[in-house]
Amino acid sequence: MIRTITILLAIALFLLFSIPLLIMEWIIGKYNMELKNRSSLAIVLWAFRLCLRISGTKVTVLNQENVPLDKAVLYIGNHRSYFDIPLTYVLVPRPTGYVAKKEVERIPLLKNWMCNLHCLFLDRKNIKEGLKTILSCIEKVKSGISICIFPEGTRNRVNDTFLPFHDGSFKVAAKSGCPIIPMTINNSADIFEDHIPFIKKTHVIIEYGKPIYINELLPEQKKHIGSYVQSIIEETYFKNKDLV
């Protein structure tokens, strides 16, 4: 319980005392957007690493060399924990926007930092607004910003299972031509969700798959791209299950 309280306190203090930083970042962005991207990324990475250190989480990363360093990508991952975001964000080599549910946009200060990091908010109940979000993702990728989507649409609450991957998530890669990077996460729910409200030390495995270019796939794979990428992540997940 001490870890849970400490992390909640750390998050609250960071958001509160980062208000001057947000003002400074806003000013920087008026004159040098690239510098703002780098500085916002550095600040949030520091906060995420602090939370992971407090939680006592050990992370093993496999095949990170599969992530291209010279271009924006679409990360696609399975999703079981709130910790999936800091766990994977500390590994990104370039500015990366995560697609979050619309409800998160209501949280003051957190929303500001997420916007600084090019995150986008998806209204899952409004198809028209959802399409606008996907189009914004495509524009960001074309401008060099990577995007991360958890295509199950919500956190899966059942161990060793997967919700269907929504095909709409993959339009970002189809329309921009960027590679899809499968991102398989093992055991992240053991940090918190499997025993709420306690945070405990645990071991998480994150493995990056080889880049997938939609235009190089077979017609059947393109038609069912969600199922195709999901099968890759499922296979990797069960391969790594005994490593945690």
Side-chain angles (χ1 to χ4, degrees):
M1 194 64 179
I2 293 176
R3 285 195 182 92
T4 306
I5 294 171
T6 304
I7 285 181
L8 290 174
L9 184 61
I11 293 171
L13 290 174
F14 169 77
L15 292 175
L16 179 62
F17 288 105
S18 69
I19 293 174
L21 291 176
L22 282 170
I23 296 171
M24 185 173 66
E25 291 294 281
W26 179 79
I27 295 170
I28 292 172
K30 290 289 184 180
Y31 300 97
N32 190 330
M33 186 56 69
E34 184 179 349
L35 177 59
K36 178 186 177 182
N37 286 340
R38 293 200 307 269
S39 56
S40 291
L41 180 62
I43 292 166
V44 173
L45 287 181
W46 175 85
F48 279 163
R49 289 184 179 119
L50 176 63
C51 287
L52 293 174
R53 194 174 303 119
I54 293 170
S55 72
T57 303
K58 175 187 175 184
V59 183
T60 297
V61 183
L62 303 175
N63 297 326
Q64 194 173 7
E65 67 276 6
N66 283 329
V67 181
L69 301 179
D70 60 343
K71 64 183 71 175
V73 305
L74 172 64
Y75 295 101
I76 292 291
N78 58 307
H79 189 30
R80 285 222 56 230
S81 173
Y82 290 118
F83 277 85
D84 291 336
I85 291 87
L87 282 165
T88 55
Y89 208 98
V90 298
L91 300 172
V92 299
R94 64 190 302 119
T96 301
Y98 278 54
V99 176
K101 59 184 179 180
K102 187 74 173 177
E103 292 77 2
V104 178
E105 195 175 17
R106 301 172 187 162
I107 305 174
L109 300 179
L110 177 60
K111 169 193 171 181
N112 299 87
W113 280 112
M114 292 180 72
C115 289
N116 279 1
L117 296 177
H118 304 279
C119 294
L120 295 156
F121 304 97
L122 179 66
D123 187 343
R124 294 172 292 184
K125 298 177 182 178
N126 188 319
I127 295 176
K128 185 177 179 180
E129 290 301 314
L131 179 58
K132 287 182 180 179
T133 301
I134 294 299
L135 292 174
S136 296
C137 288
I138 293 168
E139 290 306 310
K140 285 190 178 293
V141 169
K142 288 180 177 179
S143 70
I145 307 296
S146 292
I147 292 292
C148 179
I149 298 178
F150 298 108
E152 290 170 287
T154 187
R155 284 182 300 112
N156 182 5
R157 290 166 171 77
V158 182
N159 256 324
D160 300 336
T161 65
F162 296 81
L163 299 174
F165 281 23
H166 298 297
D167 285 340
S169 305
F170 298 87
K171 290 180 180 178
V172 177
K175 298 297 184 181
S176 70
C178 76
I180 298 167
I181 303 296
M183 189 172 63
T184 306
I185 307 168
N186 282 76
N187 210 39
S188 60
D190 191 48
I191 302 173
F192 178 60
E193 282 78 6
D194 286 348
H195 37 75
I196 294 172
F198 301 101
I199 289 176
K200 73 169 192 176
K201 288 184 178 181
T202 194
H203 180 205
V204 174
I205 306 287
I206 300 173
E207 180 166 353
Y208 293 94
K210 293 181 179 179
I212 299 168
Y213 291 88
I214 290 183
N215 61 357
E216 296 177 358
L217 297 178
L218 298 173
E220 190 66 19
Q221 293 170 335
K222 290 180 184 178
K223 184 178 179 181
H224 303 289
I225 183 65
S227 298
Y228 175 69
V229 176
Q230 180 174 342
S231 67
I232 293 173
I233 289 177
E234 282 192 25
E235 181 181 352
T236 307
Y237 176 90
F238 288 108
K239 172 181 71 72
N240 292 340
K241 187 179 175 183
D242 293 335
L243 297 179
V244 296

